[in-house]
Amino acid sequence: MRNKSWIGLGVLVATTLSASAAIAQTIGFSQIGSESGWRAAETTITHNQAEQRGINLKFADAQQKQENQIKAIRSFIAQGVDAILLAPVVATGWDSVLKEAKESEIPVVLLDRMVDAPKDLYLTAVGSNLVHEGRVAGQWLVDKVGGKSCNIVELQGTTGSSPAIDRKKGFGEAIAGHDNLKIIRSQTGDFTRTKGKEVMESFLKAENGGANICALYAHNDDMAVGAIQAIKEAGLKPGKDILIVSIDAVPDIFKAMAAGEANATVELTPNMAGPAFDALDAYRKNGTMPAKFIQTESKLYTQDDDPMAVYEVKKDLGY
């Protein structure tokens, strides 16, 4: 029997669950989609983690649509799953369905993105500090250009998503007060290579073939990889004529760095499921309430970090 008040005190949970209670055996996973290599790796690792732990994982690909995620969550509730993992496509509009999960006594764990909803509607959230990621990227550019005048173009993530909001905020905070750095164009590339290339092409055309652009900041590596192709097709040298800093640290960005076509990336680990399953395991076994936010580690990589060696380590992780 599920705990009647999974958001309550750990001691109360402990009295309603036996000491031998095992981790939830059936867990629903509502994934955003496969818009990026990083997202694909997160999906692969989540499946692997579930298999290793004997969990029956019910997977639903939302294809970047919130309405599909809401339908999937309601389907999980109807099936009586023991817990739900949610990687939300956008930050808003979750209150109703999360309340339904709570009323059905099903704990929800957010993966890699946050929601604008009351915190009592989810058990915990596992992710990076997205604002910090943006700050790290921005600080790298501040240090790289020094006092040089630098016009920046920005490829934003999916409009309304927490990574797009927070990575933009953090980057803006890092370059604030540095009058030589200015974002001259900013547009969503929806976290995809195709859209990243398309939007970068429009930036290049609008800015004198790219001559007015000093640097590109992309909210993820996949958009940066698409932009690199656009820059090359415009007859410029990415990584030299236009500096490139992005976020995620997927394998292909390390190949680009090894080729001198990208300059820096901030790592976002795709293993969000491991900490999530650990939290659910401890919660169900003895009522241990996890922290409301479980932060994963981020790291800045540059061309000085032997990018091909990093690529070899990452290439088989499901990206």
Side-chain angles (χ1 to χ4, degrees):
M1 183 180 73
R2 294 192 190 92
N3 169 28
K4 295 294 184 182
S5 180
W6 62 270
I7 61 167
L9 296 174
V11 64
L12 177 59
V13 177
T15 64
T16 59
L17 294 172
S18 68
S20 62
I23 188 170
Q25 291 300 299
T26 301
I27 295 178
F29 177 27
S30 176
Q31 175 61 290
I32 292 168
S34 55
E35 85 284 3
S36 66
W38 185 91
R39 186 68 53 190
E42 182 190 44
T43 296
T44 298
I45 290 173
T46 301
H47 279 290
N48 290 344
Q49 286 280 334
E51 183 177 356
Q52 292 169 15
R53 297 164 186 256
I55 295 168
N56 175 25
L57 188 73
K58 293 183 177 292
F59 178 76
D61 183 333
Q63 299 180 327
Q64 284 78 43
K65 295 181 180 179
Q66 184 183 34
E67 58 265 33
N68 290 344
Q69 290 200 292
I70 292 173
K71 289 177 184 177
I73 293 170
R74 287 182 171 143
S75 175
F76 293 151
I77 293 169
Q79 293 174 63
V81 299
D82 296 290
I84 294 171
L85 304 181
L86 169 63
V89 65
V90 294
T92 59
W94 298 104
D95 294 44
S96 294
V97 74
L98 290 180
K99 286 177 183 176
E100 292 171 29
K102 178 182 175 182
E103 289 168 358
S104 297
E105 307 153 20
I106 300 174
V108 175
V109 177
L110 306 178
L111 295 188
D112 75 78
R113 295 187 177 188
M114 299 299 292
V115 297
D116 291 334
K119 291 183 178 181
D120 66 339
L121 296 183
Y122 58 91
L123 182 67
T124 186
V126 179
S128 173
N129 183 324
L130 300 171
V131 175
H132 175 69
E133 290 175 351
R135 288 196 199 107
V136 171
Q139 188 60 52
W140 173 84
L141 188 58
V142 168
D143 296 339
K144 181 69 174 178
V145 303
K148 173 187 172 183
S149 178
C150 186
N151 288 333
I152 305 161
V153 293
E154 178 183 32
L155 285 170
Q156 296 185 44
T158 302
T159 301
S161 69
S162 56
I165 294 167
D166 291 345
R167 288 173 177 176
K168 181 176 182 63
K169 178 182 178 183
F171 187 85
E173 290 176 355
I175 67 172
H178 299 276
D179 295 339
N180 57 310
L181 275 73
K182 180 181 178 182
I183 296 176
I184 57 172
R185 293 190 181 272
S186 182
Q187 187 175 327
T188 180
D190 282 337
F191 285 127
T192 69
R193 295 189 187 196
T194 300
K195 193 67 180 292
K197 181 176 186 290
E198 175 187 320
V199 175
M200 190 67 201
E201 288 172 344
S202 71
F203 287 163
L204 292 165
K205 289 177 182 178
E207 296 298 336
N208 192 23
N212 298 340
I213 301 172
C214 160
L216 163 69
Y217 167 48
H219 288 191
N220 81 340
D221 292 334
D222 280 81
M223 292 188 294
V225 170
I228 287 169
Q229 187 60 37
I231 294 167
K232 290 164 71 174
E233 290 176 5
L236 299 174
K237 295 180 179 179
K240 294 181 181 178
D241 295 328
I242 298 177
L243 299 174
I244 296 174
V245 57
S246 52
I247 298 174
D248 278 357
V250 306
D252 280 354
I253 203 68
F254 289 98
K255 286 201 292 186
M257 284 199 288
E261 296 178 347
N263 303 92
T265 185
V266 182
E267 185 174 42
L268 172 65
T269 177
N271 184 17
M272 304 286 175
F277 289 146
D278 287 344
L280 284 168
D281 190 23
Y283 172 75
R284 288 178 60 82
K285 281 182 176 178
N286 54 34
T288 300
M289 295 298 291
K292 211 62 188 179
F293 182 73
I294 300 172
Q295 184 171 330
T296 58
E297 183 180 1
S298 297
K299 180 181 177 180
L300 174 71
Y301 288 92
T302 70
Q303 292 177 352
D304 295 330
D305 292 305
D306 194 354
M308 279 311 297
V310 181
Y311 169 78
E312 290 297 326
V313 171
K314 286 178 170 279
K315 68 178 183 179
D316 296 324
L317 295 180
Y319 287 92

